[in-house]
Amino acid sequence: MRPKIYLFGDSITEESFGDGGWGASLAHHFSRTVDVVLRGYSGYNTRWALKVLDRVFPPEKEAASCGGGAPLAVTVFFGANDACLPDRCAAFQHVPVDEYKRNLLSILSFFKKRWPTTHILLITPPPIDEAARLLQKVCVQYIKVSNFLCLNKCRYPFAENTLGLPERTNDAAGAYAKACVDVAGECGTPVVGLWARMQQFPDWQKAYLRDGLHLTRGGNMIVFEEVVKQLRGSGLSLETLLVDLPLITAIDPNDPLKSFKE
Amino acid sequence: MRPKIYLFGDSITEESFGDGGWGASLAHHFSRTVDVVLRGYSGYNTRWALKVLDRVFPPEKEAASCGGGAPLAVTVFFGANDACLPDRCAAFQHVPVDEYKRNLLSILSFFKKRWPTTHILLITPPPIDEAARLLQKVCVQYIKVSNFLCLNKCRYPFAENTLGLPERTNDAAGAYAKACVDVAGECGTPVVGLWARMQQFPDWQKAYLRDGLHLTRGGNMIVFEEVVKQLRGSGLSLETLLVDLPLITAIDPNDPLKSFKE
């Protein structure tokens, strides 16, 4: 059984297998070594994530019977929705920053208890381009599949932005990013400081963000590269992972079947 | 546990999570409903596939303990390497067309025995642009990850094309595509007739093939669309599959936690 890496997060994770997405790039990078498993839930914050942890990640007994159970790694990428402002149109997604920090700690505890050897990688929310957020007609972003399903299964209308103020600010996102980095420091967990990392580049607003929040191809590339770098730091790389079945370059052209004797 | 769709095949499957790849597009399409699991093996033909089936797909007992075991569907996408000509530079990958047909039947039998309810979807090899193949310096195509690994783990050199003749022809690929469609007909299995489908379009050589064999973004899009269409024909679509956890559009903004009571 191939080892697994779970991607756990909000819409930036859920849409990470879209065109140029960081999740698909990871799956491609590890195409013969690891199963990259998508567990992204558009719109979710850490409060809701905590409520569903047990359902998203199978209980010990069931997991243990499936090839050992413990994944190699889990990326935990929440905060963009927690950081929605409490007095704006996406207020129902807001989680106070102190609670966000406690929730992240609880999520890490859950994983450490369930899978003591699994590498956890935190990712901070990205920066926010407030001007671009104001151009969105609705506060809550939905990816294509959700929109599609919404035709049949939508019970609640999209939250319209009637205030003329962005539902997220870059300063607020920065406070949640700092809290995430603090949690990583307290727990000795690696972290991708995406909020700060992206803002090192000029024109980060357009280069890395599609709508002031979600990622462009370039933004996805940064997440991919940073995740690969952090995984490598944890000892998980193409050089160290076992390749699933012989590579074509390891097959003797004069006696190919030799490679397939068990 | 989310249901699974396995993608089983050669390099056109292995690289399907690359940029614009059909595998990544499927994973994105089913991002809240199905785990799309990559089992692509660059350079493999059906003879080698048969030798590794038991290792690629876990035995009944182990699978049964993992949430039921049987995947929703498996795509079986071989033939491009079987169709290498026996007197050209990639001869070691060649499998005679009669054996190819028997091997496909054996692969289908394996799945029908192991997972009687799983939908199997055959995909024929794509057409070949012989002129483009001749521009390749080597006969055997390796995707990025394999090249990378090859630096450390390559035992056999890339097969150079010194004959000045393509290692694959479109006519030969067509014979294998026909055999694949015949097998599908005999077994009542759905099939994507990729070889014929692509050639319905003018400029298919450049529009759909990157190097005369592997797929461009447009070629990947065709495979994605055809696979989605066939899966829908088997009853597997976003309308029929269960969504994993409440969509954001199903969460009451006035009482979000209501959605997370078990």
Side-chain angles (χ1 to χ4, degrees):
Chain A
M1 303 281 282
R2 281 198 208 186
K4 288 188 180 69
I5 295 178
Y6 282 101
L7 312 185
F8 183 44
D10 55 30
S11 59
I12 304 175
T13 298
E14 182 174 329
E15 68 177 31
S16 71
F17 281 70
D19 208 22
W22 65 277
S25 298
L26 267 185
H28 185 51
H29 182 75
F30 290 119
S31 62
R32 283 289 284 274
T33 48
V34 171
D35 286 333
V36 178
V37 186
L38 183 56
R39 289 293 180 270
Y41 300 91
S42 202
Y44 280 42
N45 54 36
T46 54
R47 189 186 289 163
W48 305 350
L50 262 184
K51 296 282 180 196
V52 299
L53 260 182
D54 249 326
R55 280 176 275 175
V56 176
F57 298 98
E60 192 97 17
K61 203 170 59 180
E62 191 176 352
S65 62
C66 296
L72 281 182
V74 181
T75 62
V76 177
F77 191 175
F78 286 100
N81 298 314
D82 303 62
C84 286
L85 299 182
D87 56 353
R88 304 273 170 93
C89 64
F92 77 106
Q93 294 171 286
H94 168 76
V95 171
V97 70
D98 288 345
E99 184 190 335
Y100 168 71
K101 205 171 158 179
R102 285 196 307 274
N103 291 344
L104 275 188
L105 285 165
S106 298
I107 292 170
L108 292 188
S109 295
F110 171 90
F111 286 125
K112 290 207 174 171
K113 190 173 169 195
R114 174 146 300 172
W115 296 315
T117 61
T118 296
H119 296 277
I120 309 299
L121 174 55
L122 285 167
I123 306 173
T124 80
I128 296 295
D129 174 16
E130 293 161 32
R133 291 308 297 156
L134 272 177
L135 295 176
Q136 303 300 309
K137 288 179 192 160
V138 292
C139 277
V140 184
Q141 291 303 307
Y142 303 88
I143 64 167
K144 199 176 159 200
V145 60
S146 307
N147 273 319
F148 178 77
L149 284 166
C150 193
L151 295 175
N152 294 321
K153 300 182 183 173
C154 186
R155 275 189 291 162
Y156 298 99
F158 293 80
E160 273 186 60
N161 186 354
T162 53
L163 291 173
L165 292 168
E167 87 295 358
R168 293 166 170 88
T169 62
N170 194 38
D171 277 353
Y176 287 75
K178 183 181 178 302
C180 180
V181 171
D182 288 349
V183 166
E186 287 168 29
C187 300
T189 303
V191 60
V192 174
L194 195 62
W195 186 84
R197 176 82 178 76
M198 284 188 162
Q199 292 180 83
Q200 291 172 346
F201 295 85
D203 197 34
W204 58 267
Q205 295 92 335
K206 297 289 166 284
Y208 299 144
L209 303 175
R210 192 179 78 225
D211 56 6
L213 165 64
H214 297 92
L215 309 182
T216 60
R217 182 174 286 270
N220 272 291
M221 182 59 73
I222 288 190
V223 177
F224 165 67
E225 287 174 351
E226 292 291 325
V227 169
V228 167
K229 192 194 294 179
Q230 293 291 341
L231 291 175
R232 179 183 298 275
S234 300
L236 307 178
S237 72
L238 294 182
E239 289 85 353
T240 60
L241 294 165
L242 279 179
V243 173
D244 177 20
L245 296 177
L247 293 174
I248 182 72
T249 48
I251 293 172
D252 182 352
N254 296 312
D255 186 7
L257 291 183
K258 195 173 59 184
S259 293
F260 299 107
K261 293 192 179 121
E262 290 196 61
Chain B
M1 302 280 282
R2 280 197 209 187
K4 288 186 180 71
I5 295 178
Y6 282 101
L7 312 184
F8 184 44
D10 54 31
S11 59
I12 303 174
T13 297
E14 182 173 329
E15 68 178 30
S16 71
F17 280 70
D19 209 21
W22 66 276
S25 297
L26 267 185
H28 185 52
H29 182 75
F30 291 120
S31 62
R32 284 287 284 273
T33 47
V34 171
D35 286 332
V36 177
V37 186
L38 183 57
R39 289 294 180 271
Y41 301 91
S42 203
Y44 280 41
N45 54 34
T46 54
R47 189 187 289 163
W48 306 350
L50 263 185
K51 296 283 179 196
V52 299
L53 260 182
D54 249 326
R55 279 175 276 174
V56 175
F57 298 98
E60 192 98 16
K61 204 170 58 179
E62 192 176 350
S65 63
C66 295
L72 281 182
V74 181
T75 61
V76 177
F77 191 175
F78 286 100
N81 297 314
D82 301 63
C84 286
L85 299 182
D87 56 353
R88 304 273 169 94
C89 64
F92 77 106
Q93 294 171 286
H94 170 76
V95 171
V97 70
D98 289 344
E99 183 190 336
Y100 168 71
K101 207 172 155 177
R102 286 196 306 276
N103 291 344
L104 275 188
L105 285 165
S106 298
I107 292 170
L108 292 188
S109 295
F110 171 90
F111 287 126
K112 290 205 175 173
K113 192 173 169 197
R114 173 146 301 172
W115 296 315
T117 61
T118 296
H119 297 277
I120 309 297
L121 174 56
L122 285 167
I123 307 173
T124 79
I128 296 293
D129 175 16
E130 294 161 29
R133 291 307 298 157
L134 273 176
L135 295 176
Q136 304 299 308
K137 289 180 192 159
V138 291
C139 277
V140 184
Q141 291 302 308
Y142 303 88
I143 64 167
K144 199 176 159 200
V145 60
S146 306
N147 272 321
F148 179 78
L149 285 167
C150 192
L151 296 175
N152 294 321
K153 300 182 185 173
C154 187
R155 275 189 291 164
Y156 298 99
F158 293 79
E160 274 186 59
N161 186 354
T162 53
L163 290 173
L165 292 168
E167 87 294 358
R168 292 165 170 88
T169 63
N170 194 38
D171 277 353
Y176 287 74
K178 183 181 178 305
C180 179
V181 171
D182 289 348
V183 167
E186 287 169 28
C187 300
T189 303
V191 61
V192 174
L194 196 62
W195 186 84
R197 176 83 178 76
M198 284 187 163
Q199 291 180 84
Q200 291 172 347
F201 294 85
D203 196 31
W204 58 268
Q205 295 92 335
K206 296 289 165 285
Y208 299 144
L209 303 176
R210 192 179 77 224
D211 56 6
L213 166 64
H214 296 91
L215 309 181
T216 59
R217 182 174 286 271
N220 272 291
M221 183 58 73
I222 288 189
V223 177
F224 165 67
E225 287 173 351
E226 292 291 325
V227 169
V228 166
K229 193 196 293 180
Q230 293 292 341
L231 290 175
R232 178 183 299 275
S234 301
L236 307 178
S237 71
L238 294 183
E239 290 83 356
T240 60
L241 294 165
L242 279 180
V243 173
D244 177 21
L245 295 176
L247 293 173
I248 181 73
T249 48
I251 293 171
D252 182 352
N254 296 312
D255 185 8
L257 291 183
K258 196 173 57 183
S259 293
F260 299 107
K261 292 190 180 122
E262 289 195 63

